[in-house]
């Protein structure tokens, strides 16, 4: 029998489900009371693990209970500091005085009779009196328990019972478990209303709730809070955050969102398709038959909503929350065209009250709930100015955090009042005005228009080349709460802040976009290019008393950056563009023309370009007359290019890859002398990669998923600045260039998936080979002398490597070299998805290795003596459930002097067969353990 009792009065699930001030003094969510000898190693242990896995903070006493001993002080303290108790009533429960004491704080007739016998046998009158008092309290506790409704474990499947108990605890406790959710100031009534809506099961149709409000008003925070509060009550749940920005700023953004949603609601891996309509078809089928709880955050268009919800209808018990700035958007989606429409509820966020605003401001400005002494008046003035907008309060509060003079606050507030913009924009605009340098303000505009969601290092490289100090400017923007960096090094900007930055550019010329410094809206960019509007600034003069005027063009064009993605425009109204549309944009430095077909000579392109991104570039080669001398980043991903070499005239059909590569290496003129990053990812037609004599400044070479790529030219050794090389999933790459080992600065080399379809290819250790290479021997002769099954890795790796990934390269134990001692600087090695049986021997010779990953290596049996420098060892599997886990790993042996390390994936090693970590732990089936060992 299992009994759940709540230790505080009142029902938290009624009106205060969100108020975690109510339980702030509790250290534990649950106190687990049980008789150790009965259930410790069986039911109670399984229940405890299930509670912990569900993020329920549970107290479990690990010591055996001694009969007759008084309750330990720490147990009594734990009981009082727990929000609820779970009592596991077993046959011998009442024989334990500790259990009865626990029961007092939070068929036993035979047990009570024995306690009475002990009392009557006690000769000390004082102790006998104490026994009598205790027994009276125990009787009372047992009577109370008898009146409680419990869950009988008899004839029940243990796993089902435990799952039911955990779900019941979630439901009955109601408040955020373990205090993991942040306190949302001023959102109590919204949380109560939405929680009631979520738990209302009276409707026989699906329910959709739309949270409407201006940017920064708290829509996402509110939706995320109620999602984490209630998602465990649903069979399936999914939270999709930042939909609009991910759709607009990321390649295949909507498709990625569909993948995430489908994976969440179907519990299956993403589909191997790249078509939005196909994903919509699959998603709507799942939504029609499964009860789900979904949050779609920041929906901005019907296309996004229909792609994620479809038009087939929702399961009658499903709940969907949508956040948007468009109040009419939800009811215009395809679901409301059906005969049976969802029930729609709308919540409008209007901002915070003054008291709530003051609290929020003080948290960010003073890290307390009240103003510092002497700051009350100026704080109230600032609260009044912000008028309850949470983002404005947060940004201004953080901006004033280190201003220790009240007069500074006063001057700051007076400055805000002079701005002519709306209340929110004024607050955020002042954060821009407080930036110390003009450089930072221009940097902010560039990022807001073109680089939100971009890799920080990529953006810094481009912006530094535009005569901006991005290395110091980006930290300044972060300090001013205008920019943030995600854990994956992505630049992120709150949508309201980004819109403000773009508005600053719009104000340069509200009605004539060609006069602005930056163009990012596809419609405007297309129109400017089509009408060839990118003109230089003009001035005029006239003769006195004459009607004759003279116009002069002078200086350079005003447009600094332009972005256009033709896929986002109505194709029926489009016309092909001409290259001479760019002729007069001679100040253009940032150009993104994705899936744009251009007619004309490429010599019309601006010569000052620093960033050229042309996804889906239609030509098979790079035009030789394209000005690229000042380019620092060239991105031709997803293009039709067949060969990269600067001096082919028009290689419509390559006679042989080797011939073209040799020709491409034969000229000493560096046409791309400034290029630092070259990205040719997903160029499916690319056969040859050369021309490295033209790339002396190249730092990053990214050629992912070029599935037709055969060979990389040996001239890569000319790229002495290379630090990053990604050749992942170039399945047909025959070999790596031998000259790769001559590079002195390469830190990262990614070869994932290379060689995966060529199981015959093996790793080759040049030192142990009988093949000798003489400097005078032609390279072609050398390569012909190497057996075909050794050619791919017939090279010594750069000694400067810090990260090396050989994941999914189909390398077996015999394929690895005996010696990789040249990689003395290597810190991270990835060997995932390889058919290795044991850790390769060469790994032990890596003196600085800190992270070793052998995930999904299904044949792996043993890991023996990994380097003592190791800090992380990952042996994880991505199987959807424990029953699907097929890892054959049986033994790990560490050296005695091994430092503590993080062993990832060890939780799934509890397999039916034995497993041993030498000197630490041994796991084997119960059937193989002697009875005397158990007892």
């Amino acid at each position: 029998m299992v009994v759940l009792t709540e230790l505080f009065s009142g029902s938290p699930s009624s009106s205060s489900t969100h108020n975690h001030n109510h339980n702030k003094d509790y250290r534990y969510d649950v106190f687990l009371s049980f008789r150790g000898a009965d259930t410790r190693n069986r039911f109670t242990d399984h229940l405890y693990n299930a509670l912990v896995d569900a993020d329920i903070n549970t107290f479990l006493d690990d010591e055996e209970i001694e009969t007759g001993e008084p309750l330990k002080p720490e147990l009594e303290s734990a009981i009082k500091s727990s929000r609820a108790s779970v009592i596991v009533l077993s046959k011998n429960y009442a024989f334990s005085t500790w259990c009865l004491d626990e029961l007092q704080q939070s068929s036993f007739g035979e047990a009570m009779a024995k306690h009475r016998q002990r009392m009557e046998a006690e000769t000390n009158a004082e102790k006998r009196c104490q026994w009598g008092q205790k027994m009276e309290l125990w009787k009372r506790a047992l009577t109370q328990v008898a009146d409680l409704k419990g869950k009988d474990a008899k004839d029940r499947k243990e796993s089902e019972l435990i799952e039911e108990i955990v779900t019941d605890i979630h439901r009955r406790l109601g408040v955020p478990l373990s205090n993991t959710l942040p306190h949302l100031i001023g959102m109590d009534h919204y949380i109560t209303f939405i929680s009631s809506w979520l738990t209302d099961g009276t409707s026989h149709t699906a329910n959709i709730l739309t949270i409407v409000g201006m940017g920064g008003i708290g829509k996402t925070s509110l939706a995320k809070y109620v999602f984490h509060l209630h998602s465990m009550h649903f069979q399936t749940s999914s939270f999709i955050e930042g939909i609009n920005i991910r759709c607009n700023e990321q390649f295949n953004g909507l498709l990625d969102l569909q993948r995430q949603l489908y994976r969440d609601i179907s519990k299956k891996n993403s589909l191997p398709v790249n078509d939005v309509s196909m994903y919509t078809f699959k998603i709507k089928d799942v939504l029609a038959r499964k009860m789900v709880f979904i949050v779609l955050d920041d929906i901005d268009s019907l296309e996004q909503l229909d792609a994620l919800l479809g038009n087939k209808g929702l399961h009658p018990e499903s709940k969907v929350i949508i956040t948007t700035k468009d109040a009419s958007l939800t009811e215009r989606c395809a679901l409301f065209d059906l005969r049976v429409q969802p029930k729609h509820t709308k919540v409008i966020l209007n901002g915070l009250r003054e008291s709530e605003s003051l609290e929020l401001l003080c948290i960010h400005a003073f890290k307390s709930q009240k103003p510092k002494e002497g700051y009350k008046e100026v704080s109230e003035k600032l609260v009044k100015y912000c008028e309850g907008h949470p983002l404005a309060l947060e940004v201004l509060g953080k901006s004033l955090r280190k201003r220790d003079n009240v007069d500074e606050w006063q001057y700051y507030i007076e400055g805000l009042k002079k701005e002519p913009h709306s209340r929110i924009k004024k607050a955020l605009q002042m954060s821009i005005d407080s930036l110390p340098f003009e450089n930072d303000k221009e940097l902010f505009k560039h990022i807001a228009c073109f680089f939100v969601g971009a890799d920080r290092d990529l953006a810094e490289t481009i912006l530094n080349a535009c005569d901006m100090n991005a290395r110091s400017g980006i930290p300044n923007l972060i300090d001013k709460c205008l920019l943030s960096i995600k854990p994956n090094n992505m630049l992120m900007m709150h949508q309201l802040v980004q819109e403000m930055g773009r508005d600053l550019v719009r104000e340069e010329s509200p009605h004539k976009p060609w006069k602005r410094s930056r163009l990012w809206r596809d419609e405007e960019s297309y129109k400017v290019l089509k009408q060839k509007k990118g003109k230089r600034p003009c001035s005029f003069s006239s003769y006195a008393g004459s009607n004759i005027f003279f116009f002069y063009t002078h200086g350079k064009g005003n447009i600094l950056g332009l972005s256009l993605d033709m896929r986002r425009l109505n194709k029926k109204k489009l016309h092909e563009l001409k290259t001479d549309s760019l002729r007069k944009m001679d100040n253009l430095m940032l150009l993104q023309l994705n899936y744009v077909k251009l007619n004309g000579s490429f010599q019309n392109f601006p010569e000052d370009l620093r960033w050229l991104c042309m996804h889906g570039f239609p030509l098979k080669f790079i035009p030789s007359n394209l000005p690229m001398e000042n380019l620092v980043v060239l991105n031709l991903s997803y293009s039709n290019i067949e060969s990269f070499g600067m001096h082919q005239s028009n290689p419509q059909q390559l006679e042989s890859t080797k011939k073209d590569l040799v020709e491409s290496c034969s000229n000493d003129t560096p046409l791309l002398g400034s290029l630092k990053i070259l990205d040719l990812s997903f160029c499916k037609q690319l056969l040859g990669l050369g021309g490295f004599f033209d790339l002396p400044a190249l730092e990053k070479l990214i050629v992912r998923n070029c599935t037709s790529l055969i060979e990389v030219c040996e001239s890569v050794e000319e790229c002495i600045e290379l630090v990053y090389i990604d050749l992942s999933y170039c399945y047909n790459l025959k070999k790596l260039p031998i000259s790769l080992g001559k590079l002195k600065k390469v830190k990262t080399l990614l070869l994932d998936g290379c060689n995966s379809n060529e199981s015959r290819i093996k790793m080759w250790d040049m030192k142990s080979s009988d093949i000798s290479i003489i400097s005078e021997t032609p390279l072609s002769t050398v390569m012909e002398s190497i057996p075909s099954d050794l050619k791919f890795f017939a090279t010594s790796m750069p000694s400067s490597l810090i990260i090396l990934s050989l994941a999914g390269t189909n390398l077996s134990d015999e394929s690895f070299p005996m010696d990789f001692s040249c990689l003395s600087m290597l810190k991270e090695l990835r060997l995932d998805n390889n058919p290795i049986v044991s850790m390769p021997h060469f790994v032990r010779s890596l003196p600085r290795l800190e992270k070793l990953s052998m995930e999904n290596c299904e044949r792996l049996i043993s890991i023996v003596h990994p380097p003592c420098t190791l800090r992380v060892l990952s042996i994880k599997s991505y199987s959807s459930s424990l029953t699907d886990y097929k890892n054959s790993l049986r033994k790990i042996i560490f050296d005695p002097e091994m430092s503590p390390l993080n062993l990832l994936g060890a939780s799934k090693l509890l397999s039916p067969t034995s497993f041993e970590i030498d000197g630490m732990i041994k796991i084997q089936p119960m059937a193989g353990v002697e009875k005397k060992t158990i007892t």
Side-chain angles (χ1 to χ4, degrees):
M1 173 75 76
V2 180
V3 179
L4 171 65
T5 63
E6 294 170 0
L7 299 181
F8 49 84
S9 61
S11 175
S13 59
S14 57
S15 61
S16 301
T17 60
H18 55 280
N19 186 1
H20 58 269
N21 286 330
H22 185 71
N23 72 318
K24 64 182 179 181
D25 295 326
Y26 292 105
R27 286 188 294 148
Y28 305 102
D29 297 318
V30 169
F31 179 91
L32 194 54
S33 177
F34 66 102
R35 172 60 164 153
D38 286 353
T39 65
R40 175 184 296 278
N41 296 321
R42 298 191 302 278
F43 180 85
T44 299
D45 180 64
H46 299 161
L47 175 59
Y48 173 77
N49 289 328
L51 290 169
V52 172
D53 289 342
D55 291 327
I56 299 175
N57 192 3
T58 305
F59 180 88
L60 175 72
D61 182 32
D62 288 328
E63 296 186 19
E64 286 295 334
I65 297 173
E66 297 294 336
T67 302
E69 292 291 328
L71 191 66
K72 293 192 300 183
E74 55 265 38
L75 283 179
E76 186 172 358
S77 174
I79 294 171
K80 292 179 179 178
S81 60
S82 297
R83 293 165 53 208
S85 64
V86 173
I87 305 166
V88 182
L89 300 177
S90 57
K91 180 179 179 181
N92 297 309
Y93 183 93
F95 283 96
S96 167
T97 59
W98 279 8
C99 284
L100 293 172
D101 281 341
E102 291 172 2
L103 192 59
Q104 173 197 331
Q105 297 274 340
S106 52
S107 64
F108 298 118
E110 181 183 355
M112 295 301 294
K114 287 192 175 183
H115 290 308
R116 180 173 294 280
Q117 290 175 5
R118 292 188 62 189
M119 179 192 71
E120 293 174 351
E122 180 59 59
T123 58
N124 186 300
E126 183 178 351
K127 290 186 177 180
R128 189 165 54 249
C129 181
Q130 292 176 353
W131 267 103
Q133 293 174 350
K134 278 182 171 286
M135 288 190 64
E136 192 62 31
L137 293 172
W138 294 343
K139 284 181 180 179
R140 229 177 282 168
L142 286 171
T143 301
Q144 291 176 359
V145 169
D147 292 334
L148 293 174
K149 181 181 179 181
K151 297 181 183 295
D152 194 349
K154 186 178 180 181
D155 299 326
R156 292 285 304 276
K157 286 185 178 181
E158 185 177 286
S159 60
E160 293 179 356
L161 176 61
I162 288 175
E163 182 179 0
E164 184 178 322
I165 293 169
V166 173
T167 301
D168 195 30
I169 290 172
H170 273 296
R171 178 185 60 81
R172 293 177 64 179
L173 292 184
V175 297
L177 297 173
S178 306
N179 294 326
T180 56
L181 295 178
H183 180 40
L184 297 184
I185 297 172
M187 294 288 187
D188 292 359
H189 54 296
Y190 294 120
I191 296 172
T192 300
F193 177 84
I194 298 175
S195 295
S196 176
W197 173 82
L198 280 168
T199 56
D200 180 14
T202 59
S203 176
H204 298 291
T205 60
N207 282 258
I208 296 179
L209 183 141
T210 303
I211 302 175
V212 182
M214 61 192 307
I217 203 68
K219 302 184 299 294
T220 300
S221 298
L222 176 60
K224 187 177 295 185
Y225 189 99
V226 294
F227 176 80
H228 288 300
L229 195 63
H230 294 280
S231 59
M232 76 288 296
H233 301 312
F234 291 81
Q235 176 186 358
T236 304
S237 60
S238 178
F239 188 100
I240 311 296
E241 186 173 1
I243 291 173
N244 189 49
I245 191 171
R246 291 168 67 179
C247 285
N248 292 337
E249 304 297 341
Q250 297 180 6
F251 179 73
N252 275 342
L254 183 57
L255 194 63
D256 290 341
L257 293 169
Q258 288 181 306
R259 289 193 183 103
Q260 179 185 344
L261 179 60
Y262 180 79
R263 185 170 60 247
D264 288 347
I265 63 177
S266 68
K267 304 300 182 183
K268 298 178 181 178
N269 293 329
S270 300
L271 297 170
V273 296
N274 292 293
D275 182 75
V276 170
S277 60
M278 178 63 71
Y279 257 115
T280 301
F281 179 83
K282 294 292 184 182
I283 288 171
K284 69 182 183 182
D285 276 352
V286 177
L287 292 177
R289 58 183 172 80
K290 291 186 70 172
M291 183 186 76
V292 299
F293 174 30
I294 296 174
V295 174
L296 302 179
D297 172 59
D298 192 26
I299 289 285
D300 193 56
S301 70
L302 284 176
E303 177 192 11
Q304 297 164 1
L305 198 53
D306 288 341
L308 294 170
L309 292 181
N311 58 3
K312 193 174 182 179
L314 304 174
H315 186 280
E317 297 179 57
S318 288
K319 304 278 186 176
V320 177
I321 293 178
I322 296 168
T323 74
T324 181
K325 295 186 290 290
D326 186 348
S328 66
L329 183 63
T330 300
E331 294 185 358
R332 289 189 282 116
C333 78
L335 291 177
F336 287 86
D337 293 333
L338 300 175
R339 184 176 60 84
V340 179
Q341 298 179 358
K343 184 178 179 181
H344 185 220
T345 303
K346 191 179 297 182
V347 174
I348 300 176
L349 301 190
N350 294 315
L352 307 179
R353 293 189 291 266
E354 283 193 12
S355 60
E356 298 163 344
S357 298
L358 181 62
E359 182 182 356
L360 182 59
L361 175 70
C362 291
I363 286 174
H364 292 293
F366 308 115
K367 296 186 177 180
S368 67
Q369 294 180 331
K370 296 181 179 180
K372 284 169 57 176
E373 185 176 353
Y375 284 79
K376 187 174 187 297
E377 185 178 348
V378 290
S379 295
E380 289 175 346
K381 285 184 178 180
L382 192 57
V383 165
K384 187 176 181 180
Y385 168 77
C386 291
E387 295 189 6
H389 193 277
L391 182 61
L393 291 161
E394 178 182 346
V395 170
L396 293 177
K398 289 181 177 178
S399 298
L400 292 166
R401 179 179 294 173
K402 296 182 180 180
R403 296 176 186 257
D404 296 324
N405 189 301
V406 175
D407 289 338
E408 286 190 57
W409 277 60
Q410 189 65 50
Y411 296 144
Y412 197 85
I413 295 171
E414 291 301 319
L416 288 172
K417 292 179 180 179
K418 295 177 182 178
E419 292 293 331
H421 307 293
S422 67
R423 295 184 296 271
I424 297 173
K425 190 174 181 180
K426 286 178 186 175
L428 297 175
Q429 180 67 56
M430 288 310 298
S431 295
I432 296 290
D433 292 343
S434 66
L435 291 170
F437 306 107
E438 191 66 27
N439 168 82
D440 296 346
K441 297 176 183 178
E442 293 301 309
L443 188 69
F444 170 70
K445 295 177 187 177
H446 266 325
I447 294 174
C449 292
F450 302 115
F451 297 111
V452 173
D455 177 77
R456 176 178 181 171
D457 296 334
L458 172 69
E460 280 191 2
T461 299
I462 296 170
L463 294 168
N464 284 334
C466 295
D467 300 322
M468 293 184 176
N469 189 347
R471 199 143 289 135
S472 64
I474 286 178
N476 288 340
L477 296 179
I478 295 172
D479 290 343
K480 297 298 180 180
C481 309
L482 297 170
L483 190 67
S484 62
I485 309 296
K486 293 188 74 174
N488 62 356
N489 205 41
M490 184 182 293
L491 293 178
M492 294 304 297
M493 190 177 285
H494 192 285
Q495 182 172 317
L496 182 62
V497 177
Q498 183 184 18
E499 288 177 355
M500 180 192 63
R502 291 179 167 182
D503 279 340
L504 294 176
V505 178
R506 288 191 193 101
E507 289 172 1
E508 296 170 356
S509 179
H511 306 295
K512 297 179 180 180
W514 60 89
K515 291 188 176 182
R516 300 175 194 158
S517 59
R518 300 160 182 90
L519 296 173
W520 65 93
R521 289 175 57 89
D522 296 313
E523 295 83 358
E524 292 176 342
S525 297
Y526 175 77
K527 187 175 181 179
V528 168
L529 291 175
K530 182 175 180 290
Q531 298 178 359
K532 303 178 183 179
K533 289 282 191 177
K535 295 183 179 180
R536 301 182 181 94
C538 300
S539 61
F540 68 90
S541 62
S542 66
Y543 289 113
S546 171
N547 291 327
I548 301 176
F549 295 88
F550 295 89
F551 290 84
Y552 302 92
T553 60
H554 55 85
K556 290 192 171 185
N558 48 286
I559 300 178
L560 301 174
L562 183 147
S563 175
L564 170 61
D565 191 327
M566 295 291 278
R567 297 171 304 168
R568 295 195 285 255
L569 298 177
N570 188 341
K571 296 181 179 180
K572 295 181 179 179
K573 298 181 180 179
L574 299 183
H575 301 276
E576 287 190 353
L577 298 174
K578 297 184 180 298
T579 57
D580 61 0
S581 300
L582 299 164
R583 176 181 295 174
K584 296 176 182 178
M585 299 182 187
D586 44 9
N587 205 30
L588 194 66
M589 293 185 177
L590 309 174
L591 181 59
Q592 185 175 37
L593 297 175
N594 289 345
Y595 300 92
V596 177
K597 292 184 178 180
L598 293 170
N599 290 326
S601 172
F602 281 81
Q603 67 183 7
N604 293 318
F605 269 54
E607 295 182 357
D608 284 341
L609 284 178
R610 274 30 173 206
W611 174 48
L612 178 59
C613 179
M614 300 180 72
H615 287 179
F617 183 64
L619 302 183
K620 296 182 179 180
F621 63 96
I622 298 177
S624 58
N625 58 354
L626 177 64
M628 295 183 287
E629 290 84 356
N630 295 309
L631 276 181
V632 294
V633 174
L634 176 60
N635 188 332
L636 297 176
S637 300
Y638 300 92
S639 72
N640 293 326
I641 187 171
E642 293 183 352
S643 139
F644 186 89
M646 296 302 101
H647 308 297
Q648 292 103 6
S649 56
N650 187 353
Q652 296 185 2
Q653 185 170 4
L654 301 177
E655 296 180 2
S656 75
T657 302
K658 182 185 293 187
K659 178 181 178 181
D660 286 331
L661 291 173
V662 171
E663 289 177 0
S664 69
C665 299
S666 62
N667 193 299
D668 295 330
T669 304
L671 295 182
L672 281 163
S674 301
L675 195 69
K676 293 186 177 182
I677 299 176
L678 174 62
D679 192 341
L680 300 173
S681 298
F682 294 91
C683 292
K684 302 295 186 180
Q685 310 302 319
L686 182 64
L687 300 173
L689 185 59
F692 294 110
F693 287 105
D694 292 319
L695 310 173
L698 192 66
E699 297 176 359
K700 289 188 177 183
L701 177 62
I702 306 170
V703 202
R704 292 177 63 87
N705 286 88
C706 293
T707 53
S708 298
L709 184 66
I710 298 173
E711 194 169 355
V712 179
C713 180
E714 291 290 339
S715 65
V716 70
E717 66 179 300
E718 300 296 326
C719 301
I720 59 176
E721 301 297 326
L722 261 179
V723 296
Y724 183 96
I725 302 175
D726 187 354
L727 294 168
S728 300
Y729 308 106
C730 294
Y731 299 125
N732 288 302
L733 189 60
K734 299 297 184 182
K735 68 179 182 64
L736 293 176
I738 293 177
S739 60
L740 195 66
K742 298 180 181 181
L743 296 171
K744 304 298 183 185
K745 296 185 179 181
V746 178
K747 306 297 183 186
T748 302
L749 177 59
L750 307 180
L751 300 172
D752 301 26
C754 293
N755 190 37
S756 61
N757 293 328
E758 300 287 340
S759 59
R760 68 182 188 279
I761 297 180
K762 298 181 180 180
M763 198 86 158
W764 180 48
D765 179 16
M766 293 186 67
K767 293 183 178 180
S768 62
S769 174
D770 293 334
I771 301 174
S772 60
I773 298 180
I774 304 172
S775 59
E776 290 81 12
T777 306
L779 177 61
S780 58
T781 304
V782 172
M783 294 311 302
E784 289 171 2
S785 67
I786 299 175
S788 60
D789 63 345
L790 298 177
K791 286 183 179 179
F792 185 79
F793 289 105
T795 178
S796 58
M797 296 290 180
S799 60
S800 56
L801 277 182
I802 293 178
I803 299 174
L804 173 61
S805 183
L806 300 173
T809 51
N810 204 30
L811 294 171
S812 61
D813 293 57
E814 296 80 12
S815 303
F816 286 98
M818 295 300 294
D819 183 17
F820 246 170
S821 58
C822 63
L823 301 181
S824 60
M825 305 300 294
L826 197 68
K827 292 185 178 181
E828 181 176 344
L829 177 62
R830 306 169 193 165
L831 303 176
D832 310 328
N833 295 291
N834 277 305
I836 52 178
V837 176
S838 61
M839 184 189 76
H841 185 272
F842 78 88
V843 175
R844 303 184 191 110
S845 66
L846 301 174
R848 290 181 172 84
L849 193 67
E850 296 180 359
K851 182 175 181 180
L852 174 62
S853 180
M854 290 185 285
E855 299 177 0
N856 279 356
C857 294
E858 295 185 354
R859 299 183 186 178
L860 186 65
I861 294 177
S862 64
I863 300 175
V864 179
H865 299 299
C868 294
T869 55
L870 210 60
R871 295 292 175 266
V872 178
L873 174 60
S874 182
I875 49 176
K876 293 190 292 187
S877 168
Y878 299 109
S879 300
S880 58
S881 65
L882 184 61
T883 55
D884 296 333
Y885 187 70
K886 299 179 181 179
N887 196 320
S888 57
L889 185 62
R890 297 292 172 263
K891 180 183 292 187
I892 302 178
I893 299 178
F894 294 113
D895 288 334
E897 61 271 22
M898 189 80 184
S899 300
L901 86 163
N902 188 2
L903 183 59
L904 305 178
S907 61
K908 289 193 175 182
L909 293 174
L910 297 173
S911 60
T913 56
S914 62
F915 177 80
E916 182 175 356
I917 301 179
D918 190 41
M920 298 175 63
I921 186 172
K922 183 174 182 179
I923 303 169
Q924 63 184 92
M926 291 293 293
V929 181
E930 296 183 8
K931 186 175 181 180
K932 63 180 182 179
T933 303
I934 302 175
T935 56

